[in-house]
Amino acid sequence: MNSIIQLEALSIGYSLEKNQKKVIADNINIDLYKGELVCLLGPNGAGKSTLMRTLSGMQFPLEGKVFLGGKDLHKIPSSDLAKQLSVVLTTRVDTGLLTAYEVISLGRYPYTNWSGKLSAHDHSVIQRAIKMTGAGELIQRPIHELSDGERQKIMMARALAQEPQVMILDEVTAFLDLPRRVDFMQMLKKMARESDCAILLSTHDLDLALRAADQIWLLPKTGEFIVGSPESLVLNGAFERAFASEGVQFDRQSGSFHLNTSFHAEVQINGEKDELVFWTQRALERYGFKTVSANAGFNVEVKHNQGKPVWIWQGQGDPRSFDHLEEMIAVARKICPPITD
């Protein structure tokens, strides 16, 4: 793989009064490679936006260097930088009455002459960006009429039309619903592969980042900068430590966060390991029932009867059968006493 951005002894932060400096993270040494989707993760206040601004040339580092293609990024003329690096932010840009196609065309501005006239090649690049982002149905519409998700798709196409070597995306999925976020992440992976550019995405969508990213850049509030594949950061505990909270707990087996629940009863669930058992366990845990593999005071048998789910509760008294999960949970909450030490 070819390295396109190199961070060398980088220290990020901001200046205070009387020549004082606030260091957020220091001694960062890492490369960003072409063709990779990298997700920058960290809790609020860890410094993700500061790092993104530093890497995009909007803010100078406190110490160290950021190299783009072997050159000091902060010394590259803006006209040249625009041909190598594109940035998409969550900030809503006022584009007036421009159509979506005209906004995408702005990505070719660094390549046009003083007249701003687009060549046949420029239009070809724009069409490729439209195709890669799936924005074909939007290009004739005024940009101000588009939804947040549609606007972000157009801004992505504009950034791609710059033919950059690096794309820096700051929380671009923040205002999308879950299906659109999934589509967006899949699109980013495809763009990284097909255009051979490096994509750095700052996001709070931890689950999708773990599933889609080639690499994770992890920035905890401790200022320690941790880099690795999603799997390695989960297995070595770095991901769990970075997002430690009294209210939630990261489950390494499922790769997701769970609310910390005070369990007041133990229940054993019997049945085939399918979605029915999984969601039965989720429902029981939500109401304070800890599911165990053996020696529980209560048991739930989950099975299918003529294609329909059935729950059989066994404990005190005779077994009781339920056709609906909600009915079983309601009864279980009444008859299941709390655990005593």
Side-chain angles (χ1 to χ4, degrees):
M1 294 185 295
N2 296 323
S3 171
I4 182 62
I5 280 187
Q6 303 85 34
L7 312 184
E8 294 188 2
L10 183 68
S11 176
I12 62 171
Y14 48 89
S15 298
L16 302 174
E17 296 180 356
K18 299 180 180 180
N19 296 323
Q20 298 295 313
K21 297 179 180 179
K22 172 64 176 180
V23 178
I24 296 176
D26 60 1
N27 197 31
I28 302 174
N29 296 276
I30 188 61
D31 289 5
L32 186 64
Y33 295 93
K34 289 185 177 181
E36 280 197 340
L37 170 61
V38 177
C39 287
L40 173 63
L41 305 178
N44 289 331
K48 299 188 299 299
S49 295
T50 301
L51 178 61
M52 298 292 271
R53 288 195 299 269
T54 304
L55 298 188
S56 61
M58 300 178 182
Q59 181 172 328
F60 284 95
L62 298 181
E63 300 288 345
K65 299 289 185 180
V66 178
F67 293 98
L68 173 60
K71 299 180 180 179
D72 187 337
L73 180 143
H74 292 88
K75 294 182 179 179
I76 299 176
S78 58
S79 58
D80 294 334
L81 186 61
K83 296 178 181 179
Q84 302 177 64
L85 184 147
S86 62
V87 181
V88 180
L89 307 175
T90 54
T91 306
R92 195 178 181 92
V93 180
D94 184 8
T95 54
L97 299 177
L98 295 179
T99 65
Y101 189 89
E102 291 168 334
V103 171
I104 298 172
S105 300
L106 295 177
R108 298 305 299 167
Y109 178 77
Y111 300 92
T112 59
N113 57 23
W114 61 270
S115 69
K117 184 177 180 179
L118 299 176
S119 66
H121 174 70
D122 291 324
H123 284 291
S124 176
V125 173
I126 292 168
Q127 289 297 332
R128 179 172 179 267
I130 292 170
K131 182 178 180 180
M132 288 187 66
T133 55
E137 297 181 353
L138 307 174
I139 58 175
Q140 299 304 324
R141 294 174 57 186
I143 192 72
H144 69 270
E145 293 183 359
L146 302 183
S147 67
D148 287 334
E150 290 170 335
R151 286 175 63 92
Q152 288 294 58
K153 185 176 289 189
I154 296 303
M155 300 310 291
M156 287 294 303
R158 178 201 58 76
L160 193 59
Q162 290 180 231
E163 293 186 294
Q165 298 180 63
V166 180
M167 297 181 69
I168 294 181
L169 315 174
D170 190 9
E171 297 287 354
V172 293
T173 62
F175 303 108
L176 305 180
D177 57 27
L178 180 58
R180 301 292 82 76
R181 293 202 302 270
V182 174
D183 291 343
F184 215 83
M185 293 294 279
Q186 291 176 336
M187 180 186 71
L188 292 180
K189 284 186 68 72
K190 182 179 180 181
M191 288 170 55
R193 301 291 190 271
E194 294 185 358
S195 62
D196 197 35
C197 70
I199 299 179
L200 177 62
L201 168 67
S202 172
T203 180
H204 284 289
D205 204 326
L206 308 181
D207 182 63
L208 281 179
L210 288 175
R211 294 176 184 272
D214 296 300
Q215 291 282 307
I216 297 288
W217 288 9
L218 193 56
L219 188 59
K221 283 190 175 181
T222 58
E224 178 187 12
F225 196 77
I226 308 168
V227 176
S229 68
E231 295 76 16
S232 65
L233 295 186
V234 169
L235 292 174
N236 65 22
F239 194 82
E240 187 174 351
R241 291 191 298 272
F243 295 98
S245 169
E246 294 182 0
V248 296
Q249 182 177 5
F250 183 74
D251 184 352
R252 297 188 189 183
Q253 290 188 337
S254 65
S256 60
F257 285 89
H258 295 285
L259 295 175
N260 287 335
T261 303
S262 297
F263 295 114
H264 66 270
E266 290 185 347
V267 177
Q268 180 179 341
I269 303 177
N270 302 306
E272 296 181 4
K273 299 299 183 182
D274 60 6
E275 67 273 9
L276 193 58
V277 170
F278 174 80
W279 289 106
T280 299
Q281 178 178 342
R282 284 278 295 267
L284 286 165
E285 290 181 347
R286 186 170 69 252
Y287 289 104
F289 296 95
K290 182 179 181 180
T291 56
V292 296
S293 59
N295 301 321
F298 299 89
N299 294 271
V300 175
E301 182 180 358
V302 184
K303 62 180 183 179
H304 295 271
N305 183 14
Q306 298 181 349
K308 296 182 179 180
V310 176
W311 291 265
I312 301 175
W313 177 270
Q314 293 178 308
Q316 299 172 345
D318 296 331
R320 301 183 61 177
S321 179
F322 303 92
D323 295 329
H324 300 282
L325 178 58
E326 292 85 354
E327 295 176 354
M328 188 270 290
I329 291 293
V331 172
R333 294 176 66 188
K334 293 180 180 178
I335 67 175
C336 207
I339 295 176
T340 57
D341 294 332

